[in-house]
Amino acid sequence: MKYTWLMRTTLSALGVSLFSIYLVGCSESSDKLEIKHSATEKLKVRAEQTEHRTSQQNKKQSTNNPTVAVTLPEQPASKKAVDLTQGQHQLWLLPDADIQNQETYAVQADPSVLSSFIMDGVVTMQVTTEHSVTAKLIETYNGDMGEIVWKGEIVDGNDTESMLVTEGKRTTIISLATRYGNQTVVIDKQTGKGRATSEDEIAQRQNPEHVDAITVKDDLRNSHPK
């Protein structure tokens, strides 16, 4: 009996001890979980505070240093950017409204049109402040120096009207004869800026009396070959 009682007492005490150890372990686990959760919350709060400060700093820098819009340079016109066989295309205009009695004057050409010459292409040119002419490219060949030469006919023109274009690497030279006068135009292919020379004004200055024959000296007129 004593032995049985002793065993029961021992087992009961052992059970109480194990239960106490279990409770202590649960308490420690709960404490650890609470500590871990608290640390996570602190990290989250710190991250939010850091993000807020960064946002405020960026906003302040943006206010003090406003963004400047960057304008990219225009790309050069493509060699075949314009189809001269479709529609009307203005080759050049006259920026100066008063060119009367001037031997030379400025022209402003369209580089994309200037670099798109093609057979059967049609271009329009302002030859006076009131008049423009249209020409159609009907022939092309290479000159002695390898330059490209284009021959054009004036639309609705007569046999005395013509257009001849010599296209070099940097400049294009256009000789134009129309009912409105004779012009030689030299144009920079990259910028389209050029100068027109009135051949009529030069001829007028050199020959104001419009003498169409060379005066022969008397000694030459009276000499006869033997």
Side-chain angles (χ1 to χ4, degrees), residues 9 54 85-86 105 110 146 171 184 188 225-226:
T9 303
T54 302
T85 62
Q86 301 292 328
Y105 42 88
D110 185 342
T171 59
T184 300
D188 184 285
K226 295 181 180 179

Side-chain angles (χ1 to χ4, degrees), residues 93-102 105-107 126-131:
L93 292 170
L94 302 177
D96 189 356
D98 184 16
I99 63 171
Q100 189 175 5
N101 301 324
Q102 293 187 31
Y105 42 88
V107 300
Q126 187 181 13
V127 292
T128 72
T129 54
E130 297 87 11
H131 303 96

Side-chain angles (χ1 to χ4, degrees), residues 54-67:
T54 302
S55 176
Q56 292 296 323
Q57 290 176 356
N58 292 338
K59 185 176 180 180
K60 185 177 180 180
Q61 291 178 357
S62 177
T63 303
N64 296 334
N65 302 294
T67 302

Side-chain angles (χ1 to χ4, degrees), residues 30-137:
S30 177
D31 292 341
K32 290 180 179 180
L33 183 61
E34 290 179 358
I35 292 172
K36 184 176 181 181
H37 179 72
S38 177
T40 302
E41 288 294 330
K42 289 181 179 180
L43 290 175
K44 184 177 180 181
V45 170
R46 289 179 182 176
E48 290 177 351
Q49 291 176 346
T50 302
E51 182 179 358
H52 178 72
R53 285 197 298 270
T54 302
S55 176
Q56 292 296 323
Q57 290 176 356
N58 292 338
K59 185 176 180 180
K60 185 177 180 180
Q61 291 178 357
S62 177
T63 303
N64 296 334
N65 302 294
T67 302
V68 179
V70 179
T71 302
L72 297 176
E74 294 184 0
Q75 296 297 323
S78 171
K79 281 290 183 181
K80 296 300 179 184
V82 178
D83 184 2
L84 298 182
T85 62
Q86 301 292 328
Q88 278 193 327
H89 300 279
Q90 190 80 35
L91 178 55
W92 77 66
L93 292 170
L94 302 177
D96 189 356
D98 184 16
I99 63 171
Q100 189 175 5
N101 301 324
Q102 293 187 31
E103 291 186 4
T104 65
Y105 42 88
V107 300
Q108 179 59 58
D110 185 342
S112 62
V113 175
L114 193 67
S115 62
S116 299
F117 281 6
I118 190 174
M119 286 293 294
D120 296 326
V122 178
V123 293
T124 299
M125 298 153 286
Q126 187 181 13
V127 292
T128 72
T129 54
E130 297 87 11
H131 303 96
S132 294
V133 295
T134 301
K136 181 178 181 181
L137 304 173

Side-chain angles (χ1 to χ4, degrees), residues 17-32:
S17 298
L18 292 174
F19 182 70
S20 298
I21 293 172
Y22 171 76
L23 291 177
V24 171
C26 289
S27 177
E28 291 179 352
S29 298
S30 177
D31 292 341
K32 290 180 179 180

Side-chain angles (χ1 to χ4, degrees), residues 141-162:
Y141 55 89
N142 289 106
D144 296 336
M145 303 298 292
E147 68 276 16
I148 302 174
V149 180
W150 299 88
K151 184 178 180 181
E153 65 176 8
I154 305 302
V155 177
D156 298 328
N158 54 45
D159 295 339
T160 64
E161 297 179 293
S162 63

Side-chain angles (χ1 to χ4, degrees), residues 139-201:
E139 184 181 348
T140 184
Y141 55 89
N142 289 106
D144 296 336
M145 303 298 292
E147 68 276 16
I148 302 174
V149 180
W150 299 88
K151 184 178 180 181
E153 65 176 8
I154 305 302
V155 177
D156 298 328
N158 54 45
D159 295 339
T160 64
E161 297 179 293
S162 63
M163 175 185 182
L164 190 66
V165 181
T166 303
E167 185 178 353
K169 292 182 179 180
R170 297 183 59 183
T171 59
T172 296
I173 302 174
I174 302 174
S175 297
L176 192 63
T178 70
R179 72 202 73 173
Y180 304 108
N182 301 291
Q183 300 164 301
T184 300
V185 185
V186 181
I187 303 174
D188 184 285
K189 296 176 66 174
Q190 185 69 25
T191 64
K193 295 183 181 298
R195 297 292 297 179
T197 300
S198 173
E199 304 297 342
D200 298 324
E201 289 296 329

